Amino acid sequence: MSTSCSSILFGFSLCGFLLCSLKLCYAFEGRETAETTLLHRVPNGKHMQVVHSHGPCFSSHGKSTAPTVAQVLAQDQSRVDTIHSRLSTGGDPLRASSATIPGKSGRSLGSGNYVVTVGFGTPKRDQTVIFDTGSDLTWIQCQPCVKSCYKQQEPIFNPSSSTSYSNVSCTSAQCSQLTSATGNTPSCSSSTCVYGIQYGDQSYSVGFFGRERITLTSTDAYDNLLFGCGQNNRGLFGQVAGLMGLGRDPMSIVSQTSQKYGKFFSYCLPSSSASAGYLAFGREGTSDSVQYTPSSINSQGPSFYFIGITGISVGGQKLSIPSSIFSNAGTIIDSGTVITRLPPTAYSALRTAFRQQMSSYPTAPALSLLDTCYDFSQATSVSIPKINFYFSGNTNVDIDASGILYANGLSQVCLAFAPNSNDGDVAIFGNTQQKTFQVVYDVAGGQVGFGAGGCK
Ligand SMILES: *[C@@H]1O[C@H](CO)[C@@H](O)[C@H](O)[C@H]1NC(C)=O
């Protein structure tokens, strides 16, 4: 049941994507998304380029350590569970008990995350870190590793060989700010402030709280940024050096660099290893075509970026979902959740419409949390329906083809959305659906924006 390249079913043809690069692309696309994508600095400006870790610009990762697609999706679920426990307001006894894990502990750092390389210290040492819009503390592994450090790609940072490192004292105001940034009360060792942060999947980092010069791009370096110098670290961090927190808390890099960049940043996540994306700080380079939707502080989860979904359409047809479904749950946008999670009522409407419009293709077994899969191994061309998300403020996001399907090889290509277990759980607009958009965080202006065609 193949469709010719020129025929456009449901108003949207994937000729340029699926037909013409089906074998080339999807044969490995699942693995590519299963691996860490690297953002690295370009010679000039505030843009840091994004490439895949196995792309032409970067090839030192050991392939054997790459997780499978199913592992990535399982890790993604653990991240979502912990986001939900951070956001729960109690009532349900199970949830209330998971919420007693310190406030911000819940974060699974799966390999579906994106990373950026920045310079730490003087002289500067390149360190590749996960960038995370859902947490606040920036930390990297530091020598000496008193208990354990996991294997990382670059040499582990040594603060004693940096002239710009200094310790934060236990009695300082900055030390006490760690409580809101990490959910844990800091401790003290020889009058130096000690932070600890743990994540939902048993990952953690503990070490001295310090100040350091961080070089974001070749032209922009920041002195005395507060960060965690982790001497005891464990978890599913892949081979990255640590994490860059881009949440709303005063401790995040966004807040700490606000004098220069005005709490404004953007990124573009590429659709595949063949193309590049970026992370950028500051307003410069923001496209005029970006459509903004309001995003203000929500006391339920003050470090998250909440946005409001108003509707979804499939193949140009608006789904009939009561708007209260979205407004009750609320939605966050997250750079670290791979697959968008919807209230089950909304997901079910999306799935029904998608299945109807895809009924000419043979189905395939479910892939972890993805329950709507197709076997395209015999297809010479495939057309899939267009999916649009509407956000408050008349913002219409026409999801890129790379954000509609998630593939585990050609014979198992799945609808890249999943339901929450409860209509009351917060929805999450994940990184698969953000691909190719310039995603703009105008934190001071209280808005998040989407610009089509930010990268390929
Ligand atoms: C930071 O504090 C720790 C613990 O007191 C100490 O071992 C280390 O030498 C200090 N580093 C600097 C640069 O002062």
Side-chain angles (χ1 to χ4, degrees):
M1 286 303 299
S2 59
T3 318
S4 86
C5 196
S6 57
S7 86
I8 298 178
L9 278 188
F10 318 118
F12 188 54
S13 167
L14 275 179
C15 285
F17 185 73
L18 264 181
L19 175 73
C20 307
S21 59
L22 195 59
K23 297 248 153 39
L24 282 175
C25 190
Y26 265 137
F28 61 78
E29 196 56 42
R31 279 202 80 71
E32 286 296 336
T33 43
E35 289 154 16
T36 312
T37 295
L38 178 79
L39 286 149
H40 71 86
R41 278 167 289 109
V42 287
N44 293 301
K46 296 175 179 59
H47 281 55
M48 297 170 236
Q49 196 182 8
V50 186
V51 294
H52 277 267
S53 54
H54 289 172
C57 304
F58 188 77
S59 56
S60 63
H61 271 152
K63 289 197 185 209
S64 56
T65 61
T68 65
V69 169
Q71 281 169 334
V72 168
L73 294 175
Q75 285 179 17
D76 201 43
Q77 190 54 46
S78 139
R79 179 183 182 98
V80 168
D81 290 344
T82 52
I83 287 174
H84 286 154
S85 70
R86 279 172 62 181
L87 288 166
S88 69
T89 47
D92 175 339
L94 267 179
R95 294 172 153 269
S97 72
S98 60
T100 60
I101 299 167
K104 304 225 171 163
S105 68
R107 211 65 184 157
S108 162
L109 299 164
S111 325
N113 288 301
Y114 291 85
V115 297
V116 62
T117 301
V118 292
F120 279 77
T122 310
K124 87 179 169 66
R125 310 283 181 198
D126 276 353
Q127 299 280 292
T128 298
V129 292
I130 292 170
F131 76 89
D132 187 3
T133 60
S135 66
D136 300 296
L137 180 72
T138 296
W139 62 267
I140 54 171
Q141 299 201 102
C142 280
Q143 295 182 42
C145 296
V146 289
K147 258 199 162 147
S148 76
C149 285
Y150 55 83
K151 188 168 176 277
Q152 70 174 56
Q153 181 209 334
E154 292 122 348
I156 293 177
F157 185 72
N158 188 346
S160 67
S161 56
S162 168
T163 56
S164 47
Y165 178 85
S166 60
N167 282 328
V168 172
S169 93
C170 303
T171 52
S172 67
Q174 286 95 333
C175 186
S176 41
Q177 278 176 16
L178 278 171
T179 307
S180 79
T182 64
N184 294 325
T185 310
S187 53
C188 195
S189 170
S190 327
S191 74
T192 297
C193 182
V194 173
Y195 77 94
I197 188 163
Q198 75 272 46
Y199 301 89
D201 53 13
Q202 318 295 323
S203 303
Y204 59 79
S205 173
V206 180
F208 290 119
F209 193 39
R211 290 185 200 87
E212 185 52 289
R213 179 176 174 86
I214 301 183
T215 304
L216 293 172
T217 69
S218 56
T219 53
D220 283 13
Y222 244 89
D223 285 311
N224 295 315
L225 287 183
L226 295 161
F227 81 114
C229 208
Q231 300 191 335
N232 182 11
N233 318 283
R234 239 178 76 178
L236 300 169
F237 301 112
Q239 292 190 60
V240 302
L243 183 143
M244 178 192 281
L246 294 175
R248 290 178 182 274
D249 188 86
M251 196 62 76
S252 78
I253 292 293
V254 180
S255 302
Q256 289 195 63
T257 60
S258 65
Q259 293 253 314
K260 192 165 201 169
Y261 304 128
K263 293 196 179 184
F264 196 106
F265 69 101
S266 61
Y267 56 72
C268 186
L269 311 176
S271 62
S272 82
S273 58
S275 47
Y278 58 82
L279 169 66
F281 289 97
R283 203 172 281 270
E284 211 178 291
T286 307
S287 158
D288 290 340
S289 64
V290 170
Q291 293 182 45
Y292 289 94
T293 186
S295 174
S296 48
I297 289 204
N298 183 311
S299 57
Q300 245 198 296
S303 83
F304 288 119
Y305 297 100
F306 277 81
I307 53 179
I309 300 176
T310 56
I312 301 173
S313 69
V314 176
Q317 302 241 280
K318 199 88 173 246
L319 302 175
S320 83
I321 302 165
S323 61
S324 61
I325 292 289
F326 295 120
S327 54
N328 288 346
T331 303
I332 61 165
I333 178 167
D334 184 23
S335 68
T337 297
V338 179
I339 300 292
T340 289
R341 301 304 201 285
L342 294 170
T345 300
Y347 177 71
S348 152
L350 170 66
R351 178 178 67 180
T352 301
F354 191 81
R355 283 181 177 176
Q356 272 168 8
Q357 298 182 28
M358 291 290 287
S359 58
S360 60
Y361 298 102
T363 57
L367 172 62
S368 179
L369 48 98
L370 308 179
D371 68 5
T372 296
C373 303
Y374 299 92
D375 179 352
F376 291 154
S377 57
Q378 304 304 313
T380 52
S381 74
V382 175
S383 294
I384 60 166
K386 188 179 161 97
I387 296 182
N388 292 62
F389 270 59
Y390 302 91
F391 296 99
S392 311
N394 279 326
T395 296
N396 175 358
V397 174
D398 184 349
I399 309 288
D400 186 74
S402 59
I404 295 177
L405 298 170
Y406 196 86
N408 183 28
L410 273 178
S411 59
Q412 197 181 24
V413 182
C414 308
L415 176 63
F417 293 84
N420 279 329
S421 51
N422 190 304
D423 272 343
D425 287 337
V426 77
I428 303 169
F429 194 66
N431 64 33
T432 299
Q433 283 68 37
Q434 296 171 37
K435 284 179 181 179
T436 75
F437 282 90
Q438 180 176 43
V439 184
V440 179
Y441 293 73
D442 176 7
V443 185
Q447 54 184 3
V448 166
F450 300 90
C455 58
K456 285 190 177 157

